[in-house]
Amino acid sequence: MGTGYVGLVTGACFAELGNQVTCVDVDKEKILQLKKGAVPIFEPGLEEIIHRNRGSRLSFTTDLAKAVQASDFIFIAVSTPPGKGGEADISNVKAVAVGIAKAINRYKIIINKSTVPIGMGDVVTQIIIKHGPKDVSFDVVSNPEFLREGSAVADLLRPERVVIGATRRTAAQKVAEIYKPLHSPILITDLKSAEMIKYASNAFLATKISYINEIANLCDKVGADILQVTRGMSYDSRIGGQFFNSGLGFGGSCFPKDVTALVQIGKSSGYRFRILPDVLDINDYQRKLFVQKVQKAVGNLKGKVLAVWGLSFKPNTDDMRESPALTIVPALKAKGAKLKLYDPVSMGKARGLFKNVKFAKTPYEAAHGADAVLVLTDWNEFKQIDFQKLKGVVRQPLLLDGRNMYDPQEMAEKGFEYHGIGRGEVTNF
Ligand code: UDX
């Protein structure tokens, strides 16, 4: 139920594993496109899997009732966007649960994959008892997703763990059967713990990023290099080196939403988080700090030309939800700068999101006549830049690296004034 990033990837991969899958969505146009083989999202490997299974094991429909009646397992993968107070808006999940209840014709297992507040499994159970037939039994299971955009197919087919929460172990074991071919560790637990694992994991990862960004900000003040610092820390297996890249902070449709939602869950459960509001505050500050760095390095921004490399919230996706570019570009424009934007895949979506800016077809075109080059997303393409060529097109060789992609020493040798986030002083080290 739901053919977004989670639902479509999950449905297609389940078909790939040999299951008979029906993907359901209320969006008629989206289902029509999917029936024609047009894939609405950019995820490596997804198109091939859909084309391989479409028409045989994988079908698409808007008819929720028919799909429910034909199925043994019903996965709910609809969006739970932030409500006005930041809490997760669960109206889509509730609506689907009512639809399932009204269609249920025999024993079913209803599995919640959407990220939902702790206790949502019980809410879905009550909805089905209230709206469903009295003589039909069912189970509700929580099976949170841990997919990263840009690697969702790989993350589903090679998960580091599968979490399944249920009231009755037999129901959890039936869902575990679907994941058996993946040979991944499967944790069977209760509903609320499964729902908490999802939020606690995402909030921890976001906290790790804000933590290292604070250390990077102090590195800027004292002249240490954050890449040396994280390297030295990573030898401690309790810390590790993954997810330790400092820079402009986290974006995307999950971390900002899930951390905010967890704070709300705390509030409505009588617990006030201390750390999570600061994690969000630090994340916002990283964008503001970068604008200050640009202003300090370039001087008065009025009339200055700035090249922006990278608009998506992370590499390998065209998704710009909560991307740092969405706040940094307008802030620089408001100070009178002229912006030329480039992104390897997001240009189509970007045209609707950024006003009164120019779009370039290559990084060099964006940098033509620029007073500074700003790196906002760490695309691999930016790792292969010909800096001699770049030096020949910019008005001045000044680069501000929001993702700490480059080495300050090398940039100095190439004749660029370089500013990263906590990269210390250029030494002859
Ligand atoms: C995240 C979780 O990783 C995934 O498990 C969950 O299911 C959904 O949310 P996603 O948001 O798609 O996945 O991307 P991810 O690769 O986790 O990056 C999230 C954000 O953190 C991006 O904006 C990225 O730029 C930023 N990030 C990531 C850092 O700033 N530093 C890092 O070291 C890693």
Side-chain angles (χ1 to χ4, degrees):
M1 301 295 168
T3 57
Y5 276 97
V6 175
L8 187 57
V9 169
T10 304
C13 291
F14 281 171
E16 179 77 354
L17 293 174
N19 301 289
Q20 189 65 37
V21 179
T22 308
C23 286
V24 184
D25 203 297
V26 290
D27 182 335
K28 288 188 174 57
E29 181 50 33
K30 191 185 255 193
I31 292 297
L32 209 59
Q33 290 302 318
L34 284 163
K35 279 181 169 179
K36 285 191 286 192
V39 181
I41 55 175
F42 172 90
E43 270 299 336
L46 181 61
E47 194 150 3
E48 297 89 288
I49 289 182
I50 288 181
H51 288 171
R52 197 164 36 238
N53 290 281
R54 192 164 58 90
S56 56
R57 283 196 290 260
L58 181 62
S59 64
F60 302 98
T61 181
T62 55
D63 185 343
L64 181 145
K66 196 153 161 268
V68 165
Q69 282 156 7
S71 305
D72 306 303
F73 300 92
I74 301 157
F75 285 81
I76 300 176
V78 291
S79 58
T80 50
K84 44 190 180 307
E87 75 290 349
D89 173 354
I90 53 174
S91 50
N92 293 337
V93 176
K94 284 182 167 178
V96 164
V98 170
I100 291 167
K102 288 187 171 156
I104 215 167
N105 56 346
R106 59 178 164 84
Y107 175 71
K108 306 282 175 190
I109 298 182
I110 292 104
I111 302 111
N112 205 3
K113 211 165 238 311
S114 299
T115 305
V116 292
I118 290 89
M120 190 69 205
D122 297 338
V123 170
V124 169
T125 301
Q126 290 314 313
I127 287 174
I128 296 178
I129 290 171
K130 184 173 171 217
H131 296 275
K134 298 306 164 233
D135 57 345
V136 176
S137 70
F138 64 94
D139 275 287
V140 172
V141 169
S142 165
N143 172 220
E145 52 83 18
F146 300 102
L147 309 181
R148 290 166 297 176
E149 281 187 41
S151 58
V153 170
D155 288 344
L156 193 135
L157 293 176
R158 282 190 301 285
E160 288 184 328
R161 88 297 209 174
V162 176
V163 170
I164 302 171
T167 305
R168 289 196 299 191
R169 175 168 281 276
T170 48
Q173 280 159 343
K174 286 198 181 80
V175 176
E177 283 303 309
I178 299 173
Y179 289 97
K180 276 263 179 330
L182 305 182
H183 305 300
S184 296
I186 297 180
L187 170 70
I188 290 182
T189 182
D190 62 278
L191 271 170
K192 289 192 171 75
S193 302
E195 290 159 349
M196 179 66 86
I197 288 167
K198 172 65 188 173
Y199 271 113
S201 300
N202 267 13
F204 176 76
L205 291 168
T207 301
K208 193 172 181 185
I209 291 167
S210 282
Y211 173 78
I212 206 59
N213 279 335
E214 287 230 277
I215 299 296
N217 295 342
L218 181 58
C219 284
D220 257 339
K221 300 285 186 197
V222 301
D225 181 351
I226 188 63
L227 292 201
Q228 297 299 313
V229 171
T230 49
R231 190 162 155 210
M233 293 171 72
S234 67
Y235 290 108
D236 183 328
S237 60
R238 296 168 301 173
I239 298 174
Q242 299 235 22
F243 238 73
F244 232 8
N245 305 327
S246 51
L248 297 174
F250 54 84
S253 64
C254 294
F255 283 173
K257 166 178 78 74
D258 291 352
V259 176
T260 305
L262 189 52
V263 171
Q264 296 309 323
I265 291 168
K267 273 191 190 137
S268 58
S269 313
Y271 182 76
R272 180 173 64 82
F273 274 104
R274 278 80 171 161
I275 197 167
L276 295 182
D278 284 347
V279 165
L280 293 165
D281 195 31
I282 293 158
N283 201 51
D284 290 341
Y285 178 65
Q286 290 308 103
R287 278 92 157 143
K288 295 188 179 80
L289 184 72
F290 190 73
V291 172
Q292 290 164 14
K293 275 177 178 280
V294 174
Q295 178 122 40
K296 187 159 170 267
V298 175
N300 183 347
L301 285 168
K302 199 153 179 48
K304 293 289 180 14
V305 175
L306 304 176
V308 172
W309 289 357
L311 301 173
S312 53
F313 83 94
K314 64 181 270 196
N316 302 320
T317 180
D318 61 352
D319 192 345
M320 272 175 284
R321 285 176 286 184
E322 304 285 325
S323 168
L326 293 176
T327 45
I328 290 171
V329 168
L332 293 168
K333 220 153 73 317
K335 293 174 185 296
K338 293 191 178 65
L339 283 299
K340 290 203 284 183
L341 313 185
Y342 170 75
D343 183 284
V345 301
S346 309
M347 301 305 265
K349 288 191 177 174
R351 291 185 195 287
L353 290 170
F354 299 97
K355 300 281 173 265
N356 309 323
V357 294
K358 285 206 172 71
F359 292 96
K361 292 183 182 56
T362 72
Y364 304 100
E365 186 190 318
H368 197 270
D371 294 292
V373 174
L374 280 46
V375 180
L376 304 189
T377 310
D378 42 337
W379 281 96
N380 280 337
E381 179 177 336
F382 303 149
K383 290 175 184 159
Q384 319 299 338
I385 290 293
D386 173 344
F387 284 99
Q388 290 320 313
K389 179 178 175 185
L390 181 65
K391 206 161 171 220
V393 298
V394 291
R395 182 179 299 163
Q396 62 173 346
L398 169 58
L399 187 139
L400 291 109
D401 181 2
R403 294 292 181 181
N404 285 338
M405 291 186 77
Y406 304 114
D407 177 87
Q409 189 66 35
E410 285 174 21
M411 295 303 282
E413 284 156 11
K414 287 169 182 161
F416 277 80
E417 180 184 334
Y418 171 85
H419 298 277
I421 311 275
R423 297 307 305 281
E425 291 128 9
V426 177
T427 60
N428 295 320
F429 183 71

